Amino acid sequence: MEASTPDTAARPPRPDLRAEVELTVDALAYGGKGVARLDGYVLFVTGAIPGDRVRAVVTKRKRQYGEARALEVLEPSPDRIAPVADHPGAPWQVLPYERQLEIKTEQVEDALRRLGRLDGFALEPIVPAEQPWRYRNKAEFSFGADEDGTLHLGFHPPGRWDLVAPMDACLLISERADAARRAVLEWARAQGLQALDRRRNREPHPGLRLRNLVVREGRRTGQLQVRLVTGPAPDDALDVESLVAAVDCEGLFWTRTDQLAETTAGGETTLLAGVPALEEELCGLTFAISPEAFFQTNTEMAERLYAVAGEYAALTGFERVYDLFCGIGTIGLSLAPRAGEVWGVEIVEEAVADAINSARANDVRNARFFAGDVRTSMRELVERAGRPDVIVVDPPRAGLSQKIVRRLIEAAPKRIVYVSCNPTTLAPNAAQLVEAGYALRRVRPVDMFPQTPHIECVAVLDRAA
C-alpha cells in the first residue's frame, strides 16, 4: 500500500501487478492497444477493441498508466467480427476493414493536432489497400518450441518475446511464400534441429540453434528469396544440400549472428544457392534487392504511396531533389523522370549498391546515390550537389533527430515531402519545421498494412515565401 503524500493523493490507485481486472475499452491508442480506465487509472490493453468488456491481467504498472493483456472477452464490442487468421500477425482483423481505415485516419489527425499542435493543413482521405490479405512481399518469422519440444515457425504472441505461437497458415503472404515457410519448418523438424531458447540467449547454446526465417517475394517477377537466421555455428553444422532440396526458391541464404536482440539484421550472411539479389518491378522500373536491403513491404501499395509522394513533390522537370534515407533508391528513381537531378543518401552500403545498379539497369542517368549518415553528411552533400529544391525524406519509425531537422532547415529547400511510417514522430518533426518557417499543407494516409495498426502517410511542407 502506497503512503498518501501531496504527490500521490491526487493520483488514482494503481492495480497490483498480475491482478485480474474487468475493463471496458473506450478507444484505441496508436499502436493498436485498447484504452481503458480502472478507477481513473489508465490501462493500455492488448487484444481489446473499443466497446469490448474484458477480463484482463495487469502486466505493467507505472505512475501515470499501466498495461494489461485481455484474457477473455466478456461482452464483445458491436464492431467486433470473427477473426480469419489463426496467428497474432493480424491483430486488427477483428475490426471491419472500413472501421480500420476510420481509426487510422483519426490517429493521424490526433497525432498532428495533439502532439504537434498543428492546424491549417488538409487531411485528405486515406488510400485503402488493394488487397486486405496476402499483401506482404516480406515476412520475418521466429522459431520456437512447445513445452514438449515441438518446433514451430511463426509470430510471437503480443507481449511474449520468448514464445512463438503455432501457425497452420500465414494469410499475410502469398501461398507460395507460405509454402516455403512450411517447407523449412518440416525440414528443420526432420533434421531434429532446435530453436534458440530466448530466455537463455546470453548463455552459450551447443550446436545449431534456429532463430528466424525471412521470406521475401517479387510480387511482379514471382521470384522468392529465403533467408535462414541462426546463432553462431561452423559451416558444417548446416546440412546445406538437404535444405536446398527442401525449399523451392530463387535465392537461399544463411545468416549467422550472435546478437542478443530479436532482429534479423546484421551477422554474417552466405548465399547457399541461387541468385544473390531478388528482382522486382515497381513504378515501371526494375529493382535488384539484396537480402538485408529495405524495400516497401507491400509492393502494390508502395506504388500508390510513391504516387502520392510524386504528386506532393509537384516536379516540373528542372528541380534538384534530395532523396534522404533512400534505401535501394525506389522513391528517387521513380521521381527521376520528372526531376532535373536526384541525389540519394543511405547509410546501408549494400542498399546503395543496389540503388546504383538499379539506376544503371533502368538507364536513369540523372540520379546519384551515396553511402552516408544523413545526420553527418547533409552539409557535404549541399556543398557537392548544391542546394535542393525539393527534399523527400523517408525516415525509420523513430523519425528524424533534431540534428537532422536542423540540417534540412539549413539546406532550405522550397518543399519537403515527408513519407512517414509513424504519425507520432511525424508530428513533432513537422512542428519543428513549421516553427522554422515551413507550412504543413497536405497529409494523406496510405494503408500499407491492413489488419494491423501500422500507419503510413505522406505530408508536404512548403517554405514560406
Side-chain angles (χ1 to χ4, degrees):
M1 179 73 70
E2 295 181 6
S4 179
T5 69
D7 239 5
T8 62
R11 291 204 306 268
R14 291 184 293 174
D16 293 334
L17 195 63
R18 293 183 290 278
E20 292 191 10
V21 294
E22 290 190 10
L23 303 167
T24 298
V25 177
D26 302 316
L28 277 177
Y30 176 76
K33 293 182 179 180
V35 182
R37 286 170 174 80
L38 184 68
D39 299 326
Y41 183 74
V42 176
L43 284 165
F44 294 98
V45 189
T46 300
I49 63 173
D52 278 346
R53 183 158 182 81
V54 300
R55 181 172 62 87
V57 59
V58 178
T59 57
K60 186 179 294 185
R61 57 197 293 267
K62 296 186 177 182
R63 291 180 58 175
Q64 302 297 333
Y65 69 91
E67 296 182 12
R69 184 177 72 254
L71 300 174
E72 179 185 3
V73 178
L74 302 174
E75 297 176 20
S77 164
D79 285 336
R80 181 176 280 273
I81 60 176
V84 175
D86 63 344
H87 60 75
W92 275 20
Q93 62 177 306
V94 294
L95 282 167
Y97 186 57
E98 289 302 318
R99 184 67 183 124
Q100 294 180 36
L101 296 178
E102 291 173 2
I103 293 172
K104 291 183 180 186
T105 302
E106 292 166 0
Q107 291 185 344
V108 170
E109 181 171 25
D110 178 70
L112 294 171
R113 296 193 187 280
R114 183 175 57 83
L115 299 180
R117 301 185 183 278
L118 297 162
D119 56 25
F121 59 89
L123 179 61
E124 299 175 337
I126 188 170
V127 181
E130 293 185 9
Q131 297 177 250
W133 293 99
R134 297 200 184 279
Y135 57 83
R136 293 186 67 99
N137 60 37
K138 179 186 177 184
E140 298 184 358
F141 301 100
S142 296
F143 286 95
D146 282 343
E147 291 183 0
D148 64 2
T150 301
L151 191 68
H152 295 293
L153 180 55
F155 297 120
H156 295 285
R160 294 305 304 268
W161 56 269
D162 56 331
L163 296 179
V164 173
M167 177 187 295
D168 293 328
C170 179
L171 300 185
L172 296 178
I173 56 178
S174 73
E175 293 180 355
R176 185 192 176 199
D178 195 37
R181 177 193 67 85
R182 290 196 303 272
V184 171
L185 176 59
E186 291 169 4
W187 165 84
R189 286 173 173 172
Q191 293 282 315
L193 298 176
Q194 296 182 356
L196 177 78
D197 186 342
R198 291 170 173 82
R199 288 166 293 191
R200 298 175 53 227
N201 195 11
R202 293 181 181 272
E203 302 175 19
H205 285 72
L208 185 70
R209 294 292 172 148
L210 305 175
R211 293 175 61 114
N212 303 93
L213 184 76
V214 184
V215 180
R216 179 178 250 166
E217 181 180 27
R219 304 276 290 191
R220 302 286 166 69
T221 64
Q223 293 186 6
L224 201 64
Q225 188 181 82
V226 176
R227 182 161 62 97
L228 181 69
V229 183
T230 74
D235 292 348
D236 60 3
L238 181 69
D239 185 347
V240 175
E241 185 176 342
S242 66
L243 178 58
V244 171
V247 186
D248 174 25
C249 65
E250 281 66 39
L252 182 62
F253 298 82
W254 178 20
T255 296
R256 284 168 278 188
T257 179
D258 59 1
Q259 293 192 66
L260 299 178
E262 183 72 1
T263 176
T264 63
E268 178 187 351
T269 297
T270 304
L271 174 64
L272 301 179
V275 296
L278 177 149
E279 288 190 0
E280 180 60 305
E281 297 172 2
L282 186 72
C283 300
L285 302 167
T286 300
F287 293 91
I289 310 169
S290 55
E292 291 193 31
F294 172 78
F295 188 83
Q296 288 286 353
T297 311
N298 186 329
T299 305
E300 292 79 9
M301 292 308 295
E303 291 187 329
R304 303 291 296 275
L305 184 76
Y306 295 167
V308 177
E311 176 188 337
Y312 282 8
L315 301 176
T316 62
F318 303 98
E319 293 85 357
R320 179 180 296 123
V321 178
Y322 285 5
D323 180 11
L324 306 182
F325 301 93
C326 69
I328 64 171
T330 47
I331 295 180
L333 291 173
S334 71
L335 295 176
R338 290 167 282 170
E341 55 190 77
V342 173
W343 297 76
V345 180
E346 167 62 47
I347 197 169
V348 180
E349 293 183 1
E350 294 83 359
V352 174
D354 286 344
I356 293 170
N357 290 334
S358 293
R360 290 172 181 161
N362 291 284
D363 197 27
V364 177
R365 303 183 182 183
N366 63 337
R368 298 170 178 83
F369 298 95
F370 300 92
D373 187 336
V374 172
R375 182 177 57 87
T376 57
S377 62
M378 274 290 289
R379 286 177 173 171
E380 181 183 350
L381 179 60
V382 172
E383 290 177 5
R384 179 172 184 173
R387 292 195 179 276
D389 299 298
V390 177
I391 288 181
V392 179
V393 59
D394 185 7
R397 191 168 299 279
L400 302 173
S401 69
Q402 291 190 11
K403 184 172 183 178
I404 294 177
V405 173
R406 289 197 298 269
R407 294 293 177 265
L408 264 61
I409 295 167
E410 286 178 7
K414 297 175 183 176
R415 178 164 296 149
I416 298 172
V417 178
Y418 193 129
V419 180
S420 169
C421 61
N422 184 348
T424 67
T425 54
L426 165 65
N429 285 164
Q432 289 173 278
L433 293 167
V434 167
E435 186 177 352
Y438 285 84
L440 179 63
R441 300 296 189 193
R442 302 163 66 187
V443 182
R444 190 180 304 169
V446 179
D447 190 20
M448 304 281 287
F449 303 102
Q451 323 305 337
T452 81
H454 299 300
I455 308 172
E456 298 264 346
C457 59
V458 186
V460 60
L461 300 101
D462 290 332
R463 193 177 69 208

